[in-house]
Amino acid sequence: MGKGKEYSLQYLIWRTDMSSILNKLKFVSANRQNTTDPIQFRRNKLNAKLEIQIEMAKAIARGESFTQAKRMKKVTDQISGETTLQEVSKRVKAWWFTNNETKKVAVQLFYGNKAIAFNAKGDKNAVEVASVGEVADVLVKLQEAVLDGSLDVQIAQAADSVKARFAK
């Protein structure tokens, strides 16, 4: 075959079959469009985290422990050397704490690891309740505020603050 490459008969048959398959398809130039509004994306992200916090608050109010099985981890058996995937519980940090001075519970709302401020000054970042039993109710009310857009400005500020740390 001169200077060109020599191809096997199997390769030529495969290439002919492949080109006949591709000829049956319609190819177009397509650009994926971002269908999620950034504000709605942030609301949904915070709502998902609030769902977990509400579940945790209800479990603690019932006196149960709360674990969230979230991620898969590769574990290698020491004896056989076999690697398997195991579901591992992810530690979830509570968004509330008991104030040592007042003995009341403060509930915060986090975007990333940044507490969201509820006023213009930025110094009020928690809702105070009398006991842990009321935390789930407060979280549900905060969830409603997130979903109806009442906290969009505060969420955007927190998101920008979190984003600024990655822009270094």
Side-chain angles (χ1 to χ4, degrees):
M1 282 192 125
K3 293 184 178 180
K5 292 185 178 179
E6 293 185 25
Y7 296 108
S8 69
L9 183 59
Q10 288 179 328
Y11 174 77
L12 294 173
I13 292 171
W14 173 81
R15 186 171 173 146
T16 305
D17 289 344
M18 189 57 88
S19 64
S20 66
I21 293 170
L22 293 177
N23 286 335
K24 295 176 185 176
L25 301 175
K26 178 182 177 182
F27 292 99
V28 296
S29 176
N31 294 322
R32 184 176 295 243
Q33 297 175 348
N34 188 3
T35 57
T36 305
D37 178 33
I39 294 170
Q40 190 62 42
F41 175 79
R42 290 177 182 149
R43 284 183 197 165
N44 293 341
K45 181 179 175 180
L46 188 53
N47 182 44
K49 299 293 183 181
L50 273 165
E51 286 289 334
I52 295 167
Q53 291 294 318
I54 290 168
E55 287 177 36
M56 184 164 68
K58 288 178 179 178
I60 290 174
R62 290 188 305 262
E64 301 172 359
S65 63
F66 178 82
T67 56
Q68 179 193 18
K70 179 95 176 183
R71 55 187 199 104
M72 301 299 283
K73 180 179 178 181
K74 284 185 180 181
V75 178
T76 305
D77 188 350
Q78 296 284 341
I79 299 169
S80 67
E82 183 178 327
T83 303
T84 59
L85 283 176
Q86 291 183 348
E87 199 170 71
V88 179
S89 297
K90 182 181 177 189
R91 182 174 120 5
V92 180
K93 181 182 174 188
W95 288 358
W96 63 90
F97 62 93
T98 303
N99 188 331
N100 292 334
E101 297 170 5
T102 62
K103 304 297 182 202
K104 296 197 179 201
V105 178
V107 181
Q108 294 180 308
L109 189 61
F110 283 89
Y111 190 87
N113 67 351
K114 178 79 175 158
I116 293 177
F118 295 110
N119 65 347
K121 284 186 187 177
D123 60 345
K124 307 242 188 252
N125 65 357
V127 177
E128 188 177 73
V129 294
S131 69
V132 176
E134 299 175 35
V135 170
D137 296 332
V138 170
L139 288 170
V140 168
K141 289 177 185 172
L142 288 172
Q143 184 180 33
E144 290 171 6
V146 166
L147 292 175
D148 75 6
S150 300
L151 296 173
D152 284 347
V153 173
Q154 291 88 339
I155 295 169
Q157 289 172 346
D160 291 342
S161 173
V162 169
K163 199 186 306 181
R165 290 187 311 227
F166 292 103
K168 292 180 181 178

